[in-house]
Amino acid sequence: MSVDTATVKKVASLARIAISDADAERLAPELNNILGWIEQLGEVGTSGVEPMTAVIANTLRLRDDVIDADPLTGGGRRPELMANAPQAEHGFFTVPKVIE
């Protein structure tokens, strides 16, 4: 596939980007080079290669999901919090519907 200045201008207008004629002429060969690299990547044999999400195998360090019973630092304060709510239902804040 070859990109010419008309194609560059059309893509720029679709992306709502103002572009001059000189910029379009300058960008056409660059886009052709990028498309050439993509074609080269398509020629690489990847059968039998498993997809990766990262180069290094990462595991997340997780903490225990525990409610701190100390009223100064953590949980156990639901009644106090719900007392401040304009509306509460089943122990949760109730808010008005915003989607019509």
Side-chain angles (χ1 to χ4, degrees), residues 12-81:
S13 73
L14 291 172
R16 305 283 196 262
I17 298 172
I19 192 168
S20 66
D21 292 336
D23 287 339
E25 290 177 14
R26 184 181 54 82
L27 287 172
E30 291 182 26
L31 292 174
N32 280 323
N33 287 337
I34 292 170
L35 290 175
W37 291 334
I38 291 171
E39 288 176 5
Q40 283 181 336
L41 287 175
E43 295 172 2
V44 175
T46 57
S47 60
V49 178
E50 291 190 32
M52 299 184 334
T53 57
V55 178
I56 301 171
N58 293 326
T59 55
L60 294 175
R61 293 174 288 175
L62 301 176
R63 62 172 175 78
D64 292 334
D65 192 13
V66 178
I67 296 176
D68 187 4
D70 184 3
L72 296 176
T73 60
R77 299 176 64 187
R78 181 176 287 201
E80 296 170 31
L81 295 171

Side-chain angles (χ1 to χ4, degrees), residues 2 8 13 15 18 43 54 69 73 91 95 98 100:
S2 180
V8 172
S13 73
E43 295 172 2
T73 60
V95 296
V98 294
E100 295 181 18

